Amino acid sequence: MEMKKKLALLVVMVLLCTSLVACGKSNSVDKTANGGTKSIVIGVGQFPTNLDPALEFNGWFVYEFGIGETLVKFTETMEIEPLLADSWNRVDDLTWKFHIRPGVKFHNGVAVTAEAVKSSIERSLKLNPRTAEILLINAMAADGQNLTITTKTPYEALLGNLADPLAIIVDTTAKTETFAQAPIGTGPFKIQSYSEGKQAIVEKNKEYWREKALIDVATFNYIKDNNTRSMALQSGEVDVANYISSSNISLYEGNSSYKVDKISSLRIIMAYENLNNEFLKDPAVRKAIALGVDRESYAKTLLKGTAVAAVGPFPASLPFGAKKLTGYTYDKAAAAKAMADAGYADSDKDGILEKSGKKLELRMALYTTRSELPILGEAMQAQLKEIGISLKLESYESVSTVLKNKNFDLCLYSVNTATTGDPQSFLTLYFKTGGTANYGGYSNQAVDALINKLSTERDTQARYDIATKAQQIILNDNADAFLVTPMLNIISKKTVSGIKMYPVDYYLLDNKVNIE
């Protein structure tokens, strides 16, 4: 009997060891399987609704997946460099001429001409109103490899805005129904398969116009939960993971098995304020919210130093950023006084202020695919309750529909505010009257006039000064609440090379990424 027990135990141990070996192999094998195919698996915390770069912000992922390219791109220091356009010159205040690089082909073998570029940009202009806002194109003309763009007004931000993923160049002769699943771009990789909300697989573009990719196949797995994504990296399920949370990043820093690339972002985490709400129309309420949230503790304590406190919409690292602005510091007493002076009182002593018989109760939407947002939402909820404002949190996987339908009072949002290294686009989209991303309905004629002035001002320092003046008015009005500027990170196994974070976070997979 004792011998049977020992044999049974031995069998279990053998099976367990076999299982562990098999699991270990599944984590590392197949990197060069299928006849020498070199593959990499990347875990991402956000995912597109589809792969049409002209729709919503899907172009960010088409770029991230190595499928698409623009006329120009940014370097690590946010300088503009040639890409599909190999040269350009500004003819006059309204006219730009671009020479389209000869010899470049789309993934289907079709040559990239000026006419093809023109058609691609026209498609984006037709499908996404944001394109018209960031490019201000009046007319385009194509002649061989030469593309002439005329803007509606003198437009200093055009060149940088042509690097926006909305301006990814695709072959518009492809069937319309293919764009959502398999856009035909010019990048070092082309789509192999796409599963909505789950996975995208890309393969090397063997006819790529620059040096061919070092990776044959790359798989992007959508792992929206931060802890699960981190565990997938530790277990070997993925080779690379982006946007690891502040609570998990310490697992990798100083660990020789991993590479951590972390930089200050050009992002801002802000809270949209819907100025159609009866309470948020009141400047006193918005001021109390601005005074009642402790940005410094959010950055240093809650997010464990992986963010810095924000002042306005642009980070301090930019020449038109926070350093020249007067913002708000946490002052609970001042917040309470602002409310009292405006006639708010807690008459029934339940801790929530009232005015005209209505309780000051607000809803705040947030999305969970950025791990810091729920943390900040709960902190805001607790701190605003201390000054008599009730804040109900509503969590979504995406808040795109919520914002478009204006179905929110406040909405936490993380956005890259300087995708072109210039202030004009963001101010236009988010704070100009009628801007397509101005979901809170903010309107100030002085701000509009300053933004319009950016369209004609060519002097760099003068542009910075104009942007600073506009931001200060926005801050004084408390159009939205600006909270923190997060750090960006991407973590990979030590066997991975060529992966790095850029200030704009839509560059990821390119022809230089490799895995041993």
Side-chain angles (χ1 to χ4, degrees), residues 103-157:
V104 179
K105 294 182 179 180
F106 289 109
H107 293 152
N108 57 3
V110 173
V112 178
T113 63
E115 184 59 43
V117 172
K118 174 176 175 285
S119 180
S120 180
I121 294 174
E122 286 173 340
R123 180 178 185 274
S124 187
L125 286 166
K126 179 181 179 181
L127 294 178
N128 196 323
R130 192 166 64 87
T131 312
E133 285 185 292
I134 68 171
L135 297 183
L136 284 185
I137 291 175
N138 184 53
M140 288 186 287
D143 179 16
Q145 294 302 111
N146 297 306
L147 177 70
T148 301
I149 296 178
T150 305
T151 57
K152 295 177 180 178
T153 64
Y155 192 41
E156 305 309 309

Side-chain angles (χ1 to χ4, degrees), residues 215-337:
I215 295 291
D216 296 301
V217 176
T219 300
F220 291 85
N221 287 335
Y222 177 35
I223 310 174
K224 63 181 178 180
D225 180 74
N226 195 279
N227 290 327
T228 305
R229 194 162 65 255
S230 180
M231 289 170 63
L233 180 59
Q234 292 175 70
S235 69
E237 181 184 336
V238 302
D239 305 300
V240 181
N242 65 0
Y243 310 139
I244 296 299
S245 71
S246 55
S247 60
N248 287 325
I249 198 167
S250 61
L251 297 170
Y252 305 98
E253 291 179 317
N255 188 329
S256 61
S257 297
Y258 301 95
K259 297 177 182 178
V260 178
D261 193 17
K262 185 171 63 173
I263 62 170
S264 295
S265 75
L266 299 179
R267 283 189 168 272
I268 187 75
I269 294 179
M270 67 182 198
Y272 270 110
E273 298 188 18
N274 190 341
L275 303 187
N276 293 311
N277 177 276
E278 60 181 320
F279 291 117
L280 293 173
K281 286 179 182 178
D282 188 344
V285 175
R286 301 199 304 275
K287 182 177 180 179
I289 291 172
L291 289 165
V293 293
D294 190 352
R295 299 164 183 78
E296 288 290 342
S297 72
Y298 293 175
K300 293 178 181 178
T301 305
L302 289 180
L303 300 181
K304 300 180 180 179
T306 60
V308 295
V311 178
F314 299 110
S317 59
L318 293 170
F320 47 87
K323 291 179 181 177
K324 297 182 178 180
L325 300 175
T326 302
Y328 294 89
T329 54
Y330 179 55
D331 193 332
K332 180 179 172 182
K337 185 177 185 301

